[in-house]
Amino acid sequence: MKLPGTEVTLAPAQTTKVNLPTWAWLDKTDFHEIRATASINVPGFALTATTTAKPMTLKLEPGTPDAETYPASGECGFDEDGSIGEPYAKGKADQTPPCDISYLRSSGDGTFENAQAVTVQESQAVNR
């Protein structure tokens, strides 16, 4: 059975910043059950087998040890509506995302499953 690739939606989409969460989510239509059936006819028998691949969680792997995931396991479960995580929207910058990666230093080559690259930049600021 060939499973379809799944691309996680990220915010920010292209480049994230050190110590700022990168929101991750999937709409329910992007992460769903897949079935495949195979049949073979042998003299005197007709055999049919159906297999089902049912996703259980989305596992985030930052691609570097210098990152943290939320939840800490990196495994984001389904919400009641069948989606995973929550889309980022303006005004949510102060909230903790339900599914995210925060990079602790610039790395440049963090990856997600399906080789979805993330560029990480560092930004300096003075806190008073």
Side-chain angles (χ1 to χ4, degrees):
M1 171 187 280
K2 184 175 180 176
L3 299 175
T6 300
E7 188 165 325
V8 176
T9 305
L10 302 173
Q14 300 298 319
T15 302
T16 190
K17 300 290 185 203
V18 171
N19 295 320
L20 294 177
T22 300
W23 291 58
W25 70 92
L26 284 169
D27 293 328
K28 65 181 177 179
T29 57
D30 293 333
F31 205 55
H32 54 278
E33 188 173 284
I34 304 289
R35 291 183 183 202
T37 300
S39 298
I40 186 168
N41 288 316
V42 188
F45 296 100
L47 302 173
T48 301
T50 300
T51 188
T52 302
K54 182 177 181 180
M56 304 304 287
T57 63
L58 169 67
K59 178 149 178 92
L60 299 177
E61 295 181 5
T64 177
D66 296 317
E68 296 174 343
T69 58
Y70 186 84
S73 66
E75 293 187 15
C76 303
F78 285 96
D79 296 326
E80 289 182 17
D81 68 355
S83 64
I84 293 180
E86 180 182 335
Y88 175 79
K90 289 184 180 189
K92 291 186 177 184
D94 294 345
Q95 296 178 11
T96 299
C99 185
D100 84 86
I101 294 176
S102 293
Y103 290 92
L104 306 177
R105 68 180 185 96
S106 57
S107 62
D109 63 355
T111 59
F112 288 86
E113 188 67 30
N114 291 331
Q116 186 175 342
V118 175
T119 302
V120 180
Q121 295 178 337
E122 189 166 346
S123 179
Q124 299 292 323
V126 175
N127 291 328
R128 295 180 188 234

